[in-house]
């Protein structure tokens, strides 16, 4: 049946929502298939239009999640956990050194009948942080080396502290950490099902990234609170711009890194937003800044030449 030129042009315009490399391989066949479903009025049924849009979403968003970008996201989540554990270990060690050297004594503790030994409490906390930092670094090493122990160890490291947090202090100031632990736990379970999962990239670079994440965490927790509140927003947006520029330099020809960075930024934004809404009922500047980073990185990955997201999934 000759359905006319307008119907064919309409089908071709619809197919343009698909990635360029997919159109090059299957575009003409898909156009012919769509033309066969056009009714006598020359109108393409709504069901067929929705199916093409669903295919575009799957090819551009869902499919890359199962490729190297997913492995990189697991690695990034583990990297964040390792960095946070190292920060806790660093700050705890400094505090212990000051306390044991009697260079600083909290005046509120003088004369109070304590039911525990403060020295033993500090030593126990440092030992716990050391164990978790070593554990997360072992998970990252295992992911980079495709070791099967990496995913189940990540599940244990994420699940155990999460349960202890909820049991010991259901309303404690740990919402951001809980969101990160939940996301890491889910990602690790997915990785466990597909083990061994190899994180792309060179192990030395990921090790260097752990140190960078640790320095960034220390700077955020110590430096930002020292600034006047009116300077928080400019500093946070400047850091967000620097993150995007760094991603462009590091992720050259690596669209999986842009995608994984986008998902990690979205997870961090969710973690901060939950904490802000629970305790302040207002969103701080770091939430929209992190969301903006996630959107920019995702756009750069999905709109890069040659259908980067689809190429990642194929590789």
């Amino acid at each position: 049946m000759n359905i006319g030129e307008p119907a064919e042009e309409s089908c071709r315009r619809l197919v343009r929502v698909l990635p360029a490399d997919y159109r090059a391989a299957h575009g003409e066949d898909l156009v012919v298939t769509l033309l066969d479903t056009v009714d006598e009025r020359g109108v393409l049924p709504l069901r067929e239009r929705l199916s093409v849009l669903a295919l575009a979403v799957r090819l551009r968003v869902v499919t890359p999640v199962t490729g190297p970008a997913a492995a990189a996201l697991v690695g990034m989540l583990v990297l964040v956990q390792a960095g946070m554990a190292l920060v806790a270990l660093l700050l705890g060690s400094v505090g212990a050194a000051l306390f044991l050297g009697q260079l600083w004594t909290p005046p509120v503790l003088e004369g109070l009948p304590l039911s525990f030994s403060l020295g033993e409490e500090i030593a126990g906390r440092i030992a716990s942080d050391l164990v978790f930092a070593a554990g997360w670094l072992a998970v990252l090493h295992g992911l980079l080396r495709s070791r099967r122990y990496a995913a189940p160890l990540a599940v244990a490291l994420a699940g155990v502290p999460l349960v202890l947090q909820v049991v010991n202090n259901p309303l404690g100031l740990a919402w951001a950490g809980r969101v990160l632990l939940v996301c890491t736990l889910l990602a690790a379970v997915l990785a466990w099902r597909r083990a061994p999962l190899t994180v792309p990239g060179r192990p030395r670079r990921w090790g260097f990234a752990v140190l960078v994440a640790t320095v960034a965490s220390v700077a955020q927790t110590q430096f930002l609170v020292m600034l006047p509140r009116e300077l928080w927003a400019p500093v946070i947006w400047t850091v967000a711009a620097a993150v995007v520029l760094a991603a462009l330099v590091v992720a050259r020809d690596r669209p999986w890194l842009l995608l994984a960075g986008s998902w990690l930024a979205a997870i961090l934004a969710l973690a901060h937003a939950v904490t802000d809404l629970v305790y302040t009922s207002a969103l701080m500047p770091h939430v929209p800044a992190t969301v903006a980073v996630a959107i920019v990185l995702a756009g750069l990955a999905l709109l890069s030449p040659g259908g980067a997201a689809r190429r990642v999934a194929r590789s």
Side-chain angles (χ1 to χ4, degrees), residues 9 24 27 41 45 56 85 94 98 101 110 114-115 248 253 255 258 276 292 298 313:
E9 288 299 320
R41 298 173 299 170
V94 172
L98 294 176
E110 294 180 353
L114 299 178
S115 59
L248 291 176
D253 298 327
L258 291 174
D276 289 348

Side-chain angles (χ1 to χ4, degrees), residues 271-282:
H272 290 306
V274 170
T275 303
D276 289 348
L277 292 177
V278 168
Y279 295 105
T280 65
S281 299

Side-chain angles (χ1 to χ4, degrees), residues 21-40:
D21 56 345
Y22 186 88
R23 293 200 311 269
H26 308 287
E28 291 301 325
D29 293 338
L30 183 57
V31 170
V32 172
T33 302
L34 291 175
L35 289 175
D36 291 338
T37 64
V38 172
D39 59 20
E40 62 277 1

Side-chain angles (χ1 to χ4, degrees), residues 236-237 240 269 272-273 276 283-295:
I236 290 173
W237 281 101
H272 290 306
D276 289 348
L283 295 178
M284 301 298 290
H286 51 254
V287 176
T290 313
V291 171
V293 171
I295 293 175

Side-chain angles (χ1 to χ4, degrees), residues 3-309:
I3 58 176
E5 187 70 17
E8 181 177 353
E9 288 299 320
S10 177
C11 293
R12 292 189 180 278
R13 283 197 303 270
L14 178 61
V15 170
R16 289 173 188 168
V17 300
L18 301 172
D21 56 345
Y22 186 88
R23 293 200 311 269
H26 308 287
E28 291 301 325
D29 293 338
L30 183 57
V31 170
V32 172
T33 302
L34 291 175
L35 289 175
D36 291 338
T37 64
V38 172
D39 59 20
E40 62 277 1
R41 298 173 299 170
V43 177
L44 185 66
L46 178 61
R47 182 181 61 183
E48 301 300 330
R49 295 177 181 272
L50 293 178
S51 65
V52 174
L53 295 178
L55 176 62
V57 172
R58 182 173 66 83
L59 293 176
R60 292 185 179 274
V61 180
V62 179
T63 303
V65 177
T66 63
L73 175 61
V74 177
M76 286 185 172
L77 285 169
V78 171
L79 186 150
V80 171
Q81 300 293 345
M84 292 173 61
L86 288 175
V87 169
L89 176 63
L90 174 64
L91 297 180
S93 300
V94 172
L98 294 176
F99 173 77
L100 296 176
Q102 297 183 351
L103 299 177
W104 174 76
T105 302
V108 296
L109 298 179
E110 294 180 353
L112 293 180
L114 299 178
S115 59
F116 60 90
S117 171
L118 186 59
E120 294 180 358
E121 182 75 11
I122 294 177
R125 179 62 59 88
I126 293 177
S128 174
D129 293 334
L130 178 62
V131 169
F132 278 97
W136 283 118
L137 291 175
V139 170
L140 184 60
H141 178 270
L143 290 174
L144 292 171
R145 298 296 183 181
S146 301
R147 299 291 189 262
R148 291 186 176 274
Y149 73 81
L153 181 58
V155 172
L157 290 173
V160 171
L162 183 63
V163 172
L164 293 178
Q165 283 184 16
V166 175
V167 171
N168 294 331
N169 192 4
L171 300 178
L173 295 173
W175 285 98
R178 289 178 186 176
V179 173
L180 287 174
L181 283 176
V182 169
C183 293
T184 307
L185 179 63
L186 295 177
V189 170
L190 177 62
W192 195 356
R193 293 181 58 185
R194 301 181 57 219
L197 185 65
T198 302
V199 175
R202 298 179 181 178
R204 289 183 179 179
R205 292 183 178 178
W206 282 90
F208 177 73
V210 173
L211 299 179
V212 173
T214 303
V215 173
S217 299
V218 172
Q220 180 181 3
T221 56
Q222 300 298 314
F223 176 69
L224 197 61
V225 296
M226 297 170 58
L227 295 176
R229 202 172 188 87
E230 58 270 15
L231 294 181
W232 283 16
V235 171
I236 290 173
W237 281 101
T238 301
V239 171
V243 168
V244 173
L245 292 177
L248 291 176
V249 174
V250 176
R252 184 179 303 171
D253 298 327
R254 299 180 183 91
W256 53 264
L257 190 56
L258 291 174
L259 287 172
S262 174
W263 297 330
L264 179 62
I267 292 172
L268 291 175
L270 174 63
H272 290 306
V274 170
T275 303
D276 289 348
L277 292 177
V278 168
Y279 295 105
T280 65
S281 299
L283 295 178
M284 301 298 290
H286 51 254
V287 176
T290 313
V291 171
V293 171
I295 293 175
V296 171
L297 294 183
L300 291 173
L302 299 178
L303 301 178
S304 58

